[in-house]
Amino acid sequence: QVQVVESGGGLVQPGGSLRLSCAASGNIPSINAMGWYRQAPGKERELVAEITRGGNTRYADSVKGRFTISRDGAMNMVYLQMNSLKPEDTAVYYCSAVEPRARSWGQGTQVTVSS
């Protein structure tokens, strides 16, 4: 089984940048993909970005051109570079690791975009 831990959240002004990190441990060779999700108050959790072991990526329309997901070669670490942040990006951001028969979630990290 895989465990993931997020870090890097915080308070940032509109237009600013943050980089989130996700550290994976456990059965890392079993990971097929890792992703970032977010959940704002009163809303459902939504996909922000995902990257596969092969390097393919996909993004939510709302973050295309502003956010970039990347990983190290071994899938030990996944990053989410967030630029041009908007107040509507405010949410708890969760890292997720996808295995053939399981999905692991981190505890989440708060991102607040406010002046």
Side-chain angles (χ1 to χ4, degrees):
Q1 193 166 356
V2 174
Q3 298 80 40
V4 293
V5 178
E6 308 95 337
S7 61
L11 173 65
V12 63
Q13 292 187 343
S17 298
L18 276 177
R19 189 172 89 147
L20 304 183
S21 299
C22 175
S25 61
N27 190 15
I28 292 174
S30 71
I31 298 175
N32 293 328
M34 293 184 72
W36 288 96
Y37 290 73
R38 67 186 181 187
Q39 187 167 19
K43 295 188 176 181
E44 293 186 354
R45 191 174 297 188
E46 63 175 358
L47 173 70
V48 176
E50 184 178 77
I51 187 165
T52 68
R53 180 172 289 279
N56 295 319
T57 59
R58 60 176 176 139
Y59 295 91
D61 288 343
S62 59
V63 307
K64 284 180 181 176
R66 299 189 297 123
F67 291 11
T68 303
I69 190 170
S70 61
R71 57 155 175 74
D72 69 359
M75 296 289 267
N76 292 313
M77 295 292 298
V78 173
Y79 307 95
L80 186 67
Q81 178 66 42
M82 304 185 294
N83 298 329
S84 301
L85 282 160
K86 304 175 181 180
E88 51 263 44
D89 294 318
T90 295
V92 178
Y93 284 70
Y94 297 90
C95 179
S96 179
V98 182
E99 301 170 79
R101 296 183 182 82
R103 178 186 286 272
S104 303
W105 294 94
Q107 81 288 352
T109 186
Q110 177 70 46
V111 172
T112 301
V113 185
S114 175
S115 56

